[in-house]
Amino acid sequence: MRARVLGRTGRQVSEVGLGCWQLGADWGQVSPEDAMDTLRAAADAGVTFLDTADVYGDGRSEQLVGRLLRERSDDGLFVATKMGRRADPHVPESFTGVNLRAWNDRSRRNLGMDTLDLVQLHCPPTAVLSDDRLFDELDAMVSEGRMQAYGVSVETVDEALTAIARPHVASIQIILNVFRRKPLEAVLPAAERAGVGIVARVPLASGLLSGAYDEHTTFAADDHRSYNRSGQAFDVGETFAGVPFEVGVAAAREVAALTPAGASTAQLALRWVLDQPGVSVVIPGARNRQQAQANAAAAELAATDEATSAALRSIYDRRIREHVHARW
């Protein structure tokens, strides 16, 4: 597994990480045993970057990652967690120094870490990104030894560009995949110029880009791919990358036809993300050992050739662009 520098953290992390949302909640049931098996498989495959959040299973994901940290203390693991979605109400006024420190304390307890590697604001209200006082508090928390660095997880390219302009934002986490290409236009170049890391999330469009679904595929009632298709619980862009399911299934069939011999469609989609200049790490999720291993192996694929890249761009322009490009 190759490593890349994660922006202003200055730390090297595996270019394929592991998104740990699935291990906490919102993707159907994953037992603690299966969750730990998934985490161990990822670490065995060379994954060092683990992305979690305080709200994934109300702390369950962080606690499971904390168990792995205790087991693999010599593996050089890097944990990026998030805070802010616990705000109730989820409004700018809730992002106070008191609340930030309370959320931080809870994550440090869940993970068993005195100093967190990276804490990301978790898709905060847009106005938060223009609040100098909030960023002063984050700088103070770094000085207090609560965390080594902070970043921002965003929904839109405009939010990303606002955050990149902040002098101490170390990284931006943003949805980037074959079906969500808009960050390529301005966000990735701006981040690269500023030395800000890019964490690419939802790289498989909630599984659409695995090529495994058809129009009749169903999901469990506690899976966001059932209950958030219209954005009932959180931003609809987090579910199938905001692409209408039937549209995505049809487009994914075209993507699958481009898959090189010996690889999976999911690996092709992950390789494409890794090939985009400025990407620090891509964070596919996994619910079992086999998925974790296959995701990590995507780093071994040859770079996407020009013909395949052009074909993927055409699929986006013909089938996907009208549904997502102007929205995020």
Side-chain angles (χ1 to χ4, degrees):
M1 178 72 71
R2 287 176 291 272
R4 301 182 181 187
V5 175
L6 181 62
R8 291 171 175 157
T9 70
R11 301 272 298 276
Q12 294 226 342
V13 298
S14 58
E15 61 184 2
V16 177
L18 178 68
C20 299
W21 183 13
Q22 282 91 333
L23 308 183
D26 302 318
W27 293 80
Q29 293 297 312
V30 179
S31 71
E33 294 76 20
D34 287 343
M36 291 307 303
D37 196 41
T38 301
L39 287 164
R40 292 171 186 134
D44 290 343
V47 169
T48 63
F49 185 93
L50 305 172
D51 180 82
T52 184
D54 57 0
V55 293
Y56 294 165
D58 195 26
R60 181 177 190 258
S61 177
E62 285 184 329
Q63 291 163 9
L64 290 164
V65 171
R67 283 180 58 185
L68 183 74
L69 294 178
R70 291 189 290 276
E71 291 180 6
R72 304 292 184 95
S73 58
D74 295 330
D75 282 9
L77 299 176
F78 182 104
V79 178
T81 191
K82 307 183 197 75
M83 65 178 177
R85 296 299 298 186
R86 301 185 67 80
D88 186 17
H90 191 247
V91 296
E93 292 76 17
S94 295
F95 285 73
T96 65
V98 170
N99 284 342
L100 291 170
R101 286 169 175 78
W103 300 330
N104 178 270
D105 286 343
R106 188 174 186 274
S107 289
R108 291 191 296 147
R109 288 194 299 271
N110 284 338
L111 289 162
M113 301 175 70
D114 292 330
T115 303
L116 301 175
D117 295 320
L118 177 69
V119 177
Q120 304 156 102
L121 295 179
H122 196 172
C123 298
T126 302
V128 164
L129 302 177
S130 299
D131 187 346
D132 292 342
R133 292 170 299 178
L134 177 132
F135 286 92
D136 288 344
E137 292 285 3
L138 293 173
D139 289 336
M141 290 171 68
V142 172
S143 297
E144 293 163 11
R146 293 173 167 273
M147 55 203 186
Q148 292 186 2
Y150 62 83
V152 184
S153 180
V154 300
E155 298 289 3
T156 71
V157 297
D158 287 343
E159 290 172 343
L161 293 170
T162 300
I164 288 168
R166 289 280 170 181
H168 300 141
V169 166
S171 62
I172 298 293
Q173 185 176 135
I174 193 166
I175 295 174
L176 176 65
N177 61 51
V178 169
F179 292 165
R180 285 282 292 271
R181 302 170 65 100
K182 190 174 181 178
L184 303 182
E185 297 173 359
V187 173
L188 268 61
E192 202 166 19
R193 288 193 299 270
V196 171
I198 291 289
V199 180
R201 76 172 185 276
V202 196
L204 300 179
S206 304
L208 275 177
L209 286 164
S210 70
Y213 302 157
D214 63 26
E215 291 82 356
H216 306 292
T217 302
T218 59
F219 303 92
D222 60 349
D223 189 317
H224 74 101
R225 293 171 291 185
S226 289
Y227 67 75
N228 194 57
R229 288 198 184 187
S230 299
Q232 300 97 315
F234 40 81
D235 192 282
V236 70
E238 303 289 346
T239 300
F240 302 126
V243 179
F245 182 68
E246 292 77 10
V247 172
V249 166
R253 288 196 183 100
E254 291 194 43
V255 175
L258 302 171
T259 304
S264 69
T265 304
Q267 289 173 330
L268 166 64
L270 293 173
R271 182 67 255 178
W272 178 88
V273 176
L274 288 172
D275 291 336
Q276 306 314 308
V279 169
S280 305
V281 57
V282 60
I283 52 168
R287 298 177 60 192
N288 57 55
R289 169 175 289 271
Q290 293 74 26
Q291 289 177 355
Q293 292 171 331
N295 290 342
E300 301 171 12
L301 266 63
T304 313
D305 60 54
E306 290 186 12
T308 301
S309 294
L312 292 172
R313 187 182 311 112
S314 174
I315 294 168
Y316 177 80
D317 288 338
R318 288 183 289 106
R319 291 188 174 273
I320 305 297
R321 176 184 287 270
E322 65 180 292
H323 300 284
V324 303
H325 204 82
R327 188 166 184 179
W328 290 282

